Amino acid sequence: MKKLYGLIGYPLGHSFSKDYFNNKFASEGIDAEYINFVIEDVSDLKYVLRENPALCGLNVTLPHKVNVIPLLDGITENASNIGAVNVIKFKRGTFGKLILEGHNSDITGFKQSVQPLLTEKHKYALILGTGGASKAIYHGLKQLGVYATFVSRTPQEFCITYSDINQHTLDYYKVIVNATPLGMYPKTETCPELPYECLTPDHILYDLIYNPDETLFMKRGRERGATVKNGLEMLLLQAFVSWEIWNKE
């Protein structure tokens, strides 16, 4: 039987994973297919599982990285620390019972992608957004020796707001990671509200978005001489990790 893998999320028009994995399967002669499962309510996961008995693993994207956790049989320590899951490993228990185990590969992909950009100047970071991906970014930066602060649109505990960011803030925080959907296709004319005129060539602007190739957030940073990078390499690296998780005994 052909093996199935897939992605759950809503919406999925921007998804990189489907093309990546199906190209991999074709080029390596693997009898498998990768399918997008567009589910607005994460509780619909049960229908995906019921209707696709050949499923061997899933990726998870927005907005389900956090709210999928209660539906799983367990999660790894790494995913627990982050508080978000983007890979589900399918295991079989007693009498063939399906066991769903949550993992997080975002942290590995991000770390490997951002590390070559970091210098001794980059000790503090701002993470724009407070969703599931932002939590992986926080822990990834921490493991690289960069201490991060979350930025939220509204006042929250352990966060600052966009209105708090000024010249003094950006003199201190030299890494800015956009973990919001602002600027994603088709709404490419949007970007986080920052004092971009305060940016310098010492700054790194990393956008988790990869469609378009250069977001307005990145463009405005580049115009100030900042180093900019999109999330495509991170997606590619975390896809490698997903495949290893699914196929590791």
Side-chain angles (χ1 to χ4, degrees):
M1 180 187 295
K2 177 185 288 188
K3 292 183 177 181
L4 294 182
Y5 299 88
L7 172 69
I8 60 169
Y10 181 86
L12 292 180
H14 63 282
S15 171
F16 157 89
S17 300
K18 181 178 178 181
D19 287 344
Y20 168 78
F21 278 108
N22 283 325
N23 288 336
K24 173 184 176 66
F25 298 152
S27 64
E28 298 181 20
I30 299 171
D31 188 19
E33 183 180 2
Y34 192 99
I35 300 172
N36 282 348
F37 298 103
V38 181
I39 57 171
E40 187 171 2
D41 188 328
V42 74
S43 67
D44 289 340
L45 174 60
K46 60 181 177 289
Y47 301 118
V48 172
L49 300 176
R50 184 185 306 163
E51 295 165 11
N52 298 275
L55 265 174
C56 298
L58 285 168
N59 286 124
V60 183
T61 191
L62 297 173
H64 302 320
K65 291 186 177 186
V66 175
N67 57 15
V68 76
I69 293 175
L71 306 182
L72 306 178
D73 297 292
I75 62 175
T76 63
E77 182 179 358
N78 199 30
S80 178
N81 290 337
I82 294 167
V85 162
N86 75 317
V87 183
I88 301 175
K89 181 179 177 66
F90 286 34
K91 302 167 74 173
R92 293 289 172 179
T94 306
F95 304 116
K97 181 184 182 297
L98 179 63
I99 297 172
L100 303 179
E101 182 179 75
H103 295 249
N104 192 297
S105 66
D106 280 337
I107 187 171
T108 305
F110 175 72
K111 281 173 58 181
Q112 292 178 0
S113 181
V114 77
Q115 188 168 22
L117 307 180
L118 299 175
T119 72
E120 67 280 354
K121 298 175 183 177
H122 302 119
K123 297 299 183 186
Y124 300 95
L126 295 176
I127 301 173
L128 312 181
T130 57
S134 68
K135 295 175 176 62
I137 300 310
Y138 176 86
H139 286 277
L141 288 169
K142 184 177 179 181
Q143 291 176 15
L144 292 171
V146 180
Y147 298 93
T149 297
F150 291 106
V151 182
S152 173
R153 288 175 297 176
T154 56
Q156 296 185 42
E157 193 174 12
F158 306 118
C159 294
I160 64 172
T161 64
Y162 288 92
S163 61
D164 294 323
I165 301 174
N166 52 32
Q167 177 75 64
H168 176 72
T169 314
L170 294 184
D171 285 345
Y172 187 72
Y173 293 97
K174 292 292 199 296
V175 180
I176 307 174
V177 181
N178 179 32
T180 78
L182 288 172
M184 182 187 295
Y185 178 84
K187 298 181 180 180
T188 57
E189 73 287 352
T190 61
C191 66
E193 294 183 13
L194 298 172
Y196 290 94
E197 67 278 5
C198 299
L199 297 174
T200 72
D202 288 339
H203 284 87
I204 295 170
L205 270 63
Y206 192 108
D207 203 328
L208 269 60
I209 294 170
Y210 54 90
N211 184 11
D213 291 338
E214 183 179 69
T215 60
L216 185 56
F217 167 76
M218 293 168 60
K219 180 176 183 289
R220 296 187 69 177
R222 180 175 53 78
E223 289 171 347
R224 302 297 300 177
T227 299
V228 300
K229 190 168 188 175
N230 70 19
L232 184 59
E233 183 184 47
M234 173 182 165
L235 263 289
L236 181 63
L237 291 166
Q238 70 91 4
F240 291 160
V241 178
S242 295
W243 185 247
E244 290 175 356
I245 290 169
W246 292 330
N247 291 281
K248 186 177 181 180
E249 294 298 329

